[in-house]
Amino acid sequence: MRRYVAGGGRYLGLCAGAYYASQSIEFEKGTPMEITGPRELGFYPGISRGTMYPGFVYNSEKGARVVPIDLNTNSLSVKDYSGLPEGLKVYYNGGGYFVNAVEKEDVEVLAWYSEKGHSQEEKTAAAVLCHIGQGSAALMGIHPEYDVSTMDLSEAGKDTSFIQQLVISDQARKTFLCAVFSKMGLKTAGYETKGTTLEIKENTVPALTPIYLATLRAEVTKSIACSLLEKADTTTHILADVNDRFQLLPMEESSLSAQMSSLTLQNNANNTDEEKPLTQIVYSTNTDSDPKAPVFPSRSLTPSFNIQEYFASLSEKRSHEWGGGGWYRFGNSMLYSQVITSTQTVLDRNYTFSQSLPTEGALQFSLVVRHNLGLTKAPVVFIQYIIALAVVESIRTRDGYEGVPLRLKWPNDIYVDLPGPEGGLKKVGGLLVNSSFVKDEFLLVIGCGINLANPHPTVSINDVIQNHNPSLRRLSPEDTLSGIMVHFEKMYLEFCEKGMGSWFLDKYYQRWLHSNKLVTLTTHDDVRARITGITSDYGMLEAVSLEDSRKKFTLQPDGNSFDMLKGLIIKKA
């Protein structure tokens, strides 16, 4: 954690998290609750001492109180809240203070306690910002993150006046938090700087935008649109599904702007708490002139992804496969939205809508795969391994990119293995597969997110590529997605034909991080074991006991996780 922060990361420590992140702790010294001594992180180069105020009770809110704080407006771009009744008040329950904070190097005081407590200092630091290498750590003995409106404090004996004091300061505490995050170099939606102060902006939640249907062939657009319209209301063209409602609209250039304006108003006006969200699906009706031609919206409607470039890249990569890959279909259709609740939710929780779709994907993408139960040699559990390897191979099989250190962590994470003292393993991607069973087939929704170009919070794949070889070209989202689709479909087709075997596992083991690693199985009484691979029948992690090589263990991918730093296999909560 310290290496992460020193390399440019951020740490937020609240109450216990602030005690732990200090060089030393003195908690209730001289009492039965005493905890003292050094701590590993040492972000605050001194003592965090507590409690600041008496009455703390473990595992309870009974000792909680409302405390006023004074903000350091010389450090924070935030207005003075002295205009509030008795200043800015926040929730407190057992937190400490930072001893002699004003004297510490690379430490800024963000706020002081307004009222005297156990501290003998003239001004006692309640919140500090510690500069650690290229990163920072904000530590607080208070709880400005608590939203008291969501808490039940009746059993703790707190009356309405306790809650009312915090309600009055509610907006101020949010602005204070956002000012702290801004100080740490983070962006917070809904706030803006006016002069030297940070204030809330109005109407900051972005409206949902239409979903645009694009396909490599016009005939596919027509097929999908017809299938959806058959399930929709014949008058409103609204398809009401389990989680969302979808309104189907033709994309006619002359009226599109008017449609979008009216739909935004309709969504805002009609969407009550009792109604499901309304999402618009916009499709082209120009599908008959050339049924084999690509159909996609204009570039201005998809500013974050060039669909035309993606389809061209997809076709080019398929042309290198056996027979030109003319039968490949993964990625032939795409749903694009600039602002959406969740691609995974839209596909996974709306069964009628998803069943009208062929296999498809987008970036950050969710991919629909229909896997027939009749494929008896191809157990569905292996598909998460196939898509993970496809992501890695789509990059590492390119000319010049073979040595880019992308690796696989069981069961479904993507890491880079960086050299040097500041290197090590860093996560750059992850996968999630949700499944439902309908009419003799698994409907799989594969969610995949990879950090292709964002340098925060750790490192991006493009940064890794550049560090590996500065002459290599940075990858675009369109090129990357098309590569993933082709590699995934190629392996998936072979999997359906052959089942799981050495054709896949040899390459998978070459890319994963775990061969012959020694681990402690907390799931099996802390037995020490050596990882040997994954089983070819059900895709379970296999390990053999170090004490008795005849004793083998198998672990399911959806019930366990791998803590590589500690060498532990642990059961998921």
Side-chain angles (χ1 to χ4, degrees):
M1 290 167 65
R2 185 174 178 85
R3 184 169 65 245
Y4 162 76
V5 173
R10 282 83 162 180
Y11 175 98
L12 177 63
L14 301 163
C15 199
Y19 281 124
Y20 178 66
S22 298
Q23 191 175 67
S24 182
I25 178 177
E26 293 182 4
F27 179 79
E28 291 293 283
K29 190 173 183 179
T31 75
M33 292 192 294
E34 177 178 322
I35 300 174
T36 59
R39 290 295 180 268
E40 299 95 324
L41 290 179
F43 291 147
Y44 177 69
I47 301 171
S48 179
R49 180 179 293 154
T51 60
M52 177 63 177
Y53 301 107
F56 174 72
V57 179
Y58 268 116
N59 301 317
S60 171
E61 308 297 326
K62 291 181 180 179
R65 61 171 64 198
V66 178
V67 301
I69 59 173
D70 298 320
L71 304 186
N72 184 358
T73 54
N74 293 324
S75 180
L76 294 173
S77 297
V78 65
K79 61 185 178 183
D80 183 5
Y81 290 112
S82 57
L84 288 170
E86 301 179 41
L88 171 58
K89 292 190 174 182
V90 294
Y91 190 88
Y92 170 90
N93 191 17
Y97 63 92
F98 305 94
V99 177
N100 299 325
V102 294
E103 300 175 3
K104 303 300 182 184
E105 189 175 354
D106 295 324
V107 173
E108 295 182 65
V109 176
L110 303 176
W112 291 276
Y113 290 106
S114 302
E115 298 175 345
K116 280 288 185 182
H118 289 153
S119 169
Q120 301 303 310
E121 297 180 38
E122 183 178 347
K123 296 181 74 174
T124 304
V128 295
L129 182 68
C130 308
H131 299 280
I132 314 294
Q134 300 176 36
S136 58
L139 311 181
M140 306 185 193
I142 51 178
H143 280 289
E145 85 285 8
Y146 271 30
D147 180 357
V148 73
S149 67
T150 65
M151 300 173 63
D152 182 5
L153 299 172
S154 57
E155 293 185 4
K158 306 304 179 186
D159 56 22
T160 55
S161 65
F162 179 98
I163 296 174
Q164 187 60 31
Q165 292 179 79
L166 294 171
V167 169
I168 292 173
S169 288
D170 190 61
Q171 189 54 62
R173 73 167 179 88
K174 293 177 182 176
T175 308
F176 163 64
L177 269 178
C178 287
V180 172
F181 297 151
S182 178
K183 184 78 175 178
M184 299 171 79
L186 302 174
K187 295 180 181 178
T188 54
Y191 290 81
E192 62 183 349
T193 301
K194 292 184 177 180
T196 59
T197 65
L198 192 74
E199 297 184 3
I200 189 170
K201 293 191 294 188
E202 298 298 327
N203 301 322
T204 57
V205 179
L208 297 178
T209 60
I211 296 177
Y212 296 101
L213 173 62
T215 64
L216 187 60
R217 293 186 173 189
E219 58 191 7
V220 179
T221 292
K222 185 175 182 179
S223 173
I224 294 173
C226 289
S227 178
L228 290 170
L229 286 168
E230 286 176 359
K231 298 176 175 68
D233 182 271
T234 56
T235 303
T236 63
H237 296 162
I238 291 178
L239 188 162
D241 215 327
V242 175
N243 196 76
D244 297 271
R245 294 176 301 145
F246 302 94
Q247 186 171 33
L248 302 157
L249 295 166
M251 183 166 53
E252 299 171 358
E253 294 297 332
S254 59
S255 61
L256 183 57
S257 297
Q259 287 176 0
M260 289 178 64
S261 298
S262 64
L263 287 170
T264 300
L265 291 173
Q266 180 182 345
N267 205 25
N268 293 338
N270 296 344
N271 216 22
T272 66
D273 290 341
E274 291 75 31
E275 289 185 326
K276 301 167 185 174
L278 178 65
T279 302
Q280 296 81 47
I281 308 292
V282 180
Y283 64 95
S284 174
T285 56
N286 183 24
T287 57
D288 293 328
S289 58
D290 187 354
K292 306 298 183 184
V295 173
F296 47 85
S298 66
R299 184 73 174 92
S300 62
L301 297 175
T302 62
S304 299
F305 194 82
N306 189 326
I307 297 178
Q308 182 178 15
E309 180 183 324
Y310 162 72
F311 281 148
S313 180
L314 185 67
S315 298
E316 191 275 333
K317 286 180 171 61
R318 286 177 176 173
S319 69
H320 299 294
E321 298 302 316
W322 185 85
W327 59 91
Y328 280 25
R329 67 190 190 282
F330 285 9
N332 279 0
S333 56
M334 172 180 291
L335 295 171
Y336 174 97
S337 182
Q338 190 68 14
V339 180
I340 194 170
T341 53
S342 162
T343 57
Q344 194 79 355
T345 298
V346 166
L347 294 175
D348 186 48
R349 297 186 183 176
N350 294 292
Y351 306 115
T352 303
F353 175 68
S354 294
Q355 283 183 291
S356 299
L357 303 174
T359 298
E360 59 161 321
L363 191 70
Q364 298 253 352
F365 67 92
S366 291
L367 172 70
V368 174
V369 174
R370 310 170 82 95
H371 188 73
N372 196 280
L373 187 63
L375 296 168
T376 56
K377 293 193 298 184
V380 69
V381 68
F382 283 102
I383 293 178
Q384 63 180 322
Y385 301 140
I386 294 173
I387 184 66
L389 183 60
V391 172
V392 172
E393 290 302 281
S394 70
I395 294 174
R396 295 195 61 170
T397 55
R398 297 165 184 253
D399 290 341
Y401 293 75
E402 296 86 351
V404 174
L406 279 176
R407 306 293 298 277
L408 295 169
K409 172 181 173 288
W410 183 85
N412 48 19
D413 287 327
I414 299 164
Y415 274 68
V416 291
D417 192 0
L418 301 178
E422 298 299 321
L425 295 170
K426 297 182 185 295
K427 184 175 178 178
V428 291
L431 298 138
L432 173 68
V433 182
N434 294 333
S435 66
S436 55
F437 188 72
V438 183
K439 296 180 181 178
D440 296 327
E441 70 175 7
F442 289 99
L443 181 65
L444 306 175
V445 180
I446 303 170
C448 179
I450 57 174
N451 183 5
L452 185 63
N454 188 353
H456 304 294
T458 53
V459 69
S460 73
I461 291 175
N462 272 329
D463 288 338
V464 173
I465 290 171
Q466 293 290 287
N467 290 335
H468 173 70
N469 185 345
S471 67
L472 293 177
R473 177 178 58 86
R474 295 173 70 88
L475 302 179
S476 70
E478 297 82 1
D479 185 26
T480 303
L481 178 58
S482 64
I484 293 171
M485 289 296 104
V486 171
H487 275 80
F488 176 61
E489 184 160 14
K490 180 180 180 180
M491 286 189 281
Y492 176 76
L493 291 174
E494 192 165 359
F495 172 59
C496 292
E497 178 186 352
K498 299 179 180 178
M500 186 48 58
S502 60
W503 68 269
F504 175 84
L505 292 174
D506 289 350
K507 179 59 67 174
Y508 185 83
Y509 293 148
Q510 183 182 343
R511 300 304 190 204
W512 83 334
L513 293 161
H514 312 303
S515 293
N516 294 315
K517 288 290 190 297
L518 302 182
V519 294
T520 299
L521 304 180
T522 64
T523 53
H524 293 76
D525 298 325
D526 292 339
V527 168
R528 291 287 289 167
R530 176 174 54 82
I531 293 175
T532 57
I534 56 177
T535 63
S536 58
D537 49 4
Y538 298 113
M540 293 189 287
L541 188 72
E542 189 172 54
V544 60
S545 169
L546 293 182
E547 294 183 357
D548 184 354
S549 60
R550 297 170 298 176
K551 194 171 185 179
K552 294 184 178 181
F553 304 91
T554 54
L555 301 150
Q556 295 183 11
D558 60 349
N560 302 279
S561 62
F562 202 147
D563 186 333
M564 291 185 298
L565 293 178
K566 295 182 179 179
L568 298 176
I569 302 291
I570 57 178
K571 191 172 184 62
K572 290 181 180 177

